Structure formats: C-alpha cells, structure tokens
C-alpha cells in the first residue's frame, strides 16, 4: 500500500505541473501494484488518475475507456473523485460525439449525487450539463449565466478536477458575447489565473489562458490576446 501511495504522490506532483506523460506512468504503475496486491480502492483511484491525465493530454479515446471503468467502481471511490470522474465521462462522450451516452451519464451523475446524499455537488452537476450543452452548440442557460459565483478560487476547488464550475461559468460568459458578460468573464478568469499561478496548477493556467485569448478576441483586443 505504501508504494501505491508514493506513486499517487508522484502522479499529483506531475499532474499539477502538467507533466502528463510522467503522470500517466505513475498512475499506470499504481494500478499494476494495486491490482497485484488486491487493493481495490487504490486501483480505482489510480484509474481515475490516469483518466484525468489522458483527458488533459487530449487522449480522449483512452480517457473514455478509463472513465467507464471508474464509473463501475464509483461506490468505492472517494466521493469527490467519483463525481468528477462521472462528469469527465459525460464531457468526454460529448467531445467524441457520443451524444446519447453523454446525456445518459449526466442523468447517472444526478442519480449518484442523490443516492449518496451529496447535494453539495449540485453545482458540479449543473456546470457539467452546461459544459456539455456548450460543446453541442446549444445556447447557455440564462439561469446559470445570471447566477453569481461566490466561491473564491482555492486549491480544493481547482485541484486536478476536470469539471470546475467557476471555469465553466467563464466559458459560458465568453460564449454568449455580451459586453456585461465579457467583463464578468474577464474578472473571473483573472481571479482563477492568479490563484492557479500561486498554487502552481499548470493545467488550469493553460485552460484559463486559452479562455482569455478567446475573450480578448471577442472584445476585439488582439494585442492583449497575443500577450497571453
């Protein structure tokens, strides 16, 4: 068990730094050892680790297989990890044009949140649905656009999560292209970027910078976009 814990630490160090190949190697080795020693929890967590790294590396087919495995192990996973893995599955399916499986997975996420009495994760559910809708090209929910984000960017809120409601809120605001919304997106992205830099969360930094480029393009500030 100690070796798998050390490998988990190695995964997180590399995932935070966006050293994705090294993160994947640590996760696959953790799976191998956990399976050999029949450590079901550690094995399931390591599957989620590899899925996260593959998603960030845009290796979506591999991520899909891993997320499906993680879903089957959802009841033995840490609750937050299980919920992020199910959200990751829904998003990955939509990116791969598996529309029916994506919609079904969001329903399964809703069921899992209710059956485990995890109502504190409702924001992740709504955020995941909005992100999937955005990928499909559907208009963002007015309710979600009007909701205020009171959460302060933090390590616990950003971590290595695939679905971060604050970042998805910024995605929605950028997509709508309304002056007031773009200003809100600008402020929100700056807050997340400052926190991500302070916490050395490189994947989130990259994600926010991409959104800032899109934001400045839509605000017709091409020079600012070039500076991102």
């Amino acid at each position: 068990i100690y070796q798998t814990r050390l490998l988990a630490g190695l995964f997180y160090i590399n995932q935070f730094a966006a050293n994705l190949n090294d993160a994947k190697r640590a996760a696959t080795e953790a799976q191998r050892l956990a399976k050999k020693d029949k450590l079901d929890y550690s094995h399931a967590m390591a599957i989620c680790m590899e899925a996260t790294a593959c998603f960030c590396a845009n290796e979506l087919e591999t991520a899909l297989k891993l997320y499906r495995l993680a879903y089957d192990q959802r009841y033995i996973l840490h609750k937050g990890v299980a919920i992020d893995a199910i959200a990751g599955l829904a998003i990955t399916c939509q990116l791969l044009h598996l529309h029916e499986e994506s919609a079904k997975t969001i329903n399964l996420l809703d069921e899992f949140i209710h059956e485990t009495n995890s109502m504190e994760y409702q924001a992740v559910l709504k955020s995941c649905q909005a992100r999937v809708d955005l990928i499909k090209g559907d208009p963002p929910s007015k309710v979600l656009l009007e909701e205020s984000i009171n959460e302060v960017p933090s390590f616990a809120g950003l971590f290595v999560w695939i679905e971060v409601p604050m970042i998805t809120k910024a995605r929605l605001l950028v997509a709508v292209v309304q002056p007031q919304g773009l200003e809100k997106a600008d402020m929100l992205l700056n807050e997340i970027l400052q926190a991500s830099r302070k916490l050395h969360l490189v994947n989130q930094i990259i994600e926010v910078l991409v959104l800032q480029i899109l934001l400045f393009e839509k605000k017709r500030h091409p020079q600012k976009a070039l500076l991102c």
Side-chain angles (χ1 to χ4, degrees), residues 11 29 78 85 122 137 177:
F11 162 80
E29 180 61 12
H78 178 280
Q122 278 288 336
V177 199

Side-chain angles (χ1 to χ4, degrees), residues 140-151:
S141 162
K142 288 184 179 180
V143 175
L144 283 175
L145 286 170
E146 291 168 2
E147 281 185 356
S148 59
I149 295 287
N150 298 318
E151 182 185 357

